Amino acid sequence: MPELAAHVRDVPVNQIREITEAAWATPGAIVLSIGEPGFALPRHVLEAGMACLDRDETNYTPNAGIPALREAFAARFRERNGVDIGSERVYIVDGAQQGLHLAMSLLLSPGDEILIPNPGYPTFAMTSRLLHGVPVGYPLYPEHDFQPRIEDIEALITPRTRVLILNSPSNPLGAVLGEELTRNMVELAQRHDLWIISDECYEAFTYDVPHVSPARFDSDVPGEARVFTSLTLSKTYGLTGLRIGALVCPPGLERKMNNVMESIVSCVASPSQYAAIAALTGPQDYVSHAHAHYRANRDSASAILESKGIPFLSAQGAFYLWADVSHVSGGDVRSWVRTFLADSGVSFAPGTAFGSIGEGWIRIALCAAQEDLVEGLGRLPSRS
C-alpha cells in the first residue's frame, strides 16, 4: 500500500498507554499508570444526558456549543480566575485534547516551533508534530523543583518560535506555577510576540496554593491578547468518556474559531453538553469529595515513599506524584516499569513518557482506592 505521511510515521508511541494497556491485560494488576477518576458520576449529571436523549434532542448544535454551556464555562472562569470574559470567547470542544489540537491548528504553520515543558504531557509534542510543527522542550530540572526558568526558555526562542505551552497544575509533576512566575511567563510571551496555550485540566485540584491562570495577566484588547486556555470536565467531574471541555480564546477570533470547529468536529454531541451544564451549574459535592480523596492519597503515598527513602516532588496540584526510582531503573525506566509490572503486578507511567528529563522517574496516579495505592507503593524496592 502507499506510505503514510512522514509526520504521522514520526509520531512516537505514547508510553503511558503502552504500560497501561499491558497492565489491563495483567490479571489482578494494580493500575497506577493512568489518571482515570474512579468515583461514580453524580446522578443529576447522568440524568441530564439521558433526558437529552429521551427528548430526542440529537440534532446539530451551534459550532461553538449550546449557549447555556458556554455561559456556564465563562461564569466558572470569571469566578475562579477573576477574568471578565464573555461566553462569546468560549468554544465547547470534544475534550481538552481537541481543544489543544484546535489551538495549535490556529497558531502553527509548517516548520513553526512550539515550546513545550520537558517533562510534560506527551500529546503536546504528538499533536504539534501532526500539524507539521516542531516541538522544542524547555527544561524543568529537579534542582529547581521542576519549575520553569525564564532564562532557560528565552535561550530557546528563535525566529521560528510561535507558541509557548504552559501547564499548571502539571501533568506529570503535580507542580503549580505561582503568581509571579505566571506573570513573568506572560511578559516573556509579550516581549517575543508569542502565543500562549495554557493547559489547565487540573485547575480544580490544588493543595494549599492557589491556581493562577495566565489569562489573568493577558490583554483584553483584540490584536494584543495572546492566551488560549484549555479546560476540561474529564478530571474535575470524572466525565472522561463523555469527552467535553472548552477552549477559551483571545477576543476577536470568533469567525476563525467557527470555521476551524466546522472543519474538524462541527459540534460536540448534545447529550455530553447537557450533562456538562448539569455538572457546572448543579451541586459540587463530587468535586469536593474528589479533592479530599486525592489529597489524602497524596499524603499517604508521600509517607510511604519517605519511609522507603525514595525522593519525590511534593505535589501542590493535580493527582500525581513524581518519584525518583533511578536506584533500580538502571538508566532505562521504560523497560523497568514493564519488568516491575510483570514481577510485582503494579503499573506506573515511566518518566520518559514525558520527556528526556524524566529518565529515572515515574509518575504515580493518585486516583485509585487508597488501599490499592498503599499496596502498590508498598511493593516498590526501598532506596538503600
Side-chain angles (χ1 to χ4, degrees):
M1 65 173 66
E3 285 192 346
L4 295 173
H7 68 284
V8 173
R9 297 197 304 268
D10 294 340
V11 173
V13 170
N14 186 323
Q15 296 177 37
I16 306 170
R17 282 285 175 175
E18 178 182 64
I19 187 63
T20 301
E21 289 177 5
W24 287 336
T26 302
I30 297 174
V31 182
L32 304 178
S33 52
I34 196 166
E36 175 75 34
F39 310 113
L41 294 183
R43 189 66 197 173
H44 70 279
V45 175
L46 295 172
E47 289 175 350
M50 290 186 287
C52 174
L53 294 172
D54 284 341
R55 62 179 180 265
D56 193 22
E57 191 167 339
T58 54
N59 296 325
Y60 292 122
T61 74
N63 289 131
I66 295 170
L69 179 55
R70 299 177 74 190
E71 175 51 37
F73 266 111
R76 177 180 172 87
F77 200 78
R78 290 191 297 265
E79 177 185 351
R80 292 185 62 84
N81 299 303
V83 181
D84 187 19
I85 67 164
S87 62
E88 74 280 356
R89 291 175 54 186
V90 176
Y91 291 81
I92 305 306
V93 292
D94 199 14
Q97 182 54 46
Q98 188 190 64
L100 294 171
H101 186 275
L102 285 169
M104 292 186 202
S105 297
L106 284 167
L107 307 180
L108 291 174
S109 296
D112 282 347
E113 294 172 354
I114 177 170
L115 296 166
I116 65 172
N118 174 15
Y121 193 62
T123 65
F124 296 155
M126 295 168 70
T127 304
S128 56
R129 286 194 180 102
L130 282 172
L131 293 167
H132 305 277
V134 179
V136 176
Y138 60 85
L140 307 176
Y141 293 121
E143 56 266 33
H144 302 300
D145 293 327
F146 292 97
Q147 292 283 324
R149 296 193 305 171
I150 296 295
E151 58 266 36
D152 291 334
I153 297 176
E154 204 150 27
L156 296 170
I157 296 174
T158 76
R160 295 296 301 177
T161 308
R162 292 275 288 164
V163 181
L164 170 63
I165 285 194
L166 300 176
N167 176 210
S168 178
S170 165
N171 177 8
L173 302 170
V176 174
L177 300 183
E179 180 173 341
E180 182 179 2
L181 182 55
T182 303
R183 184 195 303 273
N184 290 342
M185 288 293 182
V186 175
E187 292 173 352
L188 171 71
Q190 291 167 342
R191 285 199 304 275
H192 293 276
D193 199 24
L194 305 180
W195 296 100
I196 289 176
I197 300 175
S198 179
D199 178 355
E200 301 178 24
C201 287
Y202 298 90
E203 50 88 23
F205 303 116
T206 60
Y207 313 107
D208 302 320
V209 296
H211 167 67
V212 181
S213 176
R216 281 181 50 187
F217 310 109
D218 196 23
S219 171
D220 59 1
V221 178
E224 296 182 14
R226 64 189 65 247
V227 176
F228 288 78
T229 306
S230 179
L231 303 170
T232 183
L233 302 190
S234 291
K235 311 302 182 183
T236 310
Y237 297 96
L239 304 184
T240 52
L242 292 189
R243 309 309 307 138
I244 192 79
L247 185 67
V248 180
C249 300
L253 298 179
E254 291 82 5
R255 182 178 296 277
K256 293 294 184 185
M257 273 300 302
N258 282 334
N259 290 343
V260 174
M261 289 286 292
E262 176 65 27
S263 67
I264 292 179
V265 69
S266 184
C267 61
V268 175
S270 50
S272 293
Q273 293 195 57
Y274 279 103
I277 294 170
L280 286 166
T281 62
Q284 299 298 297
D285 303 41
Y286 179 98
V287 183
S288 56
H289 174 70
H291 189 282
H293 177 79
Y294 300 145
R295 181 171 189 147
N297 272 6
R298 180 202 65 168
D299 294 345
S300 295
S302 298
I304 293 171
L305 294 175
E306 286 177 353
S307 72
K308 290 178 173 290
I310 297 174
F312 64 96
L313 181 67
S314 183
Q316 293 182 311
F319 44 65
Y320 305 105
L321 271 184
W322 185 245
D324 181 355
V325 295
S326 57
H327 62 295
V328 289
S329 62
D332 185 357
V333 74
R334 182 181 183 184
S335 296
W336 180 82
V337 295
R338 292 295 297 265
T339 301
F340 189 73
L341 171 63
D343 294 345
S344 302
V346 182
S347 69
F348 304 107
T352 49
F354 308 97
S356 58
I357 296 176
E359 180 57 70
W361 294 75
I362 55 172
R363 188 195 69 175
I364 304 163
L366 303 174
C367 313
Q370 191 169 100
E371 56 268 28
D372 290 337
L373 178 67
V374 169
E375 175 63 28
L377 291 179
R379 299 178 190 177
L380 278 171
S382 297
R383 195 182 192 101
S384 57

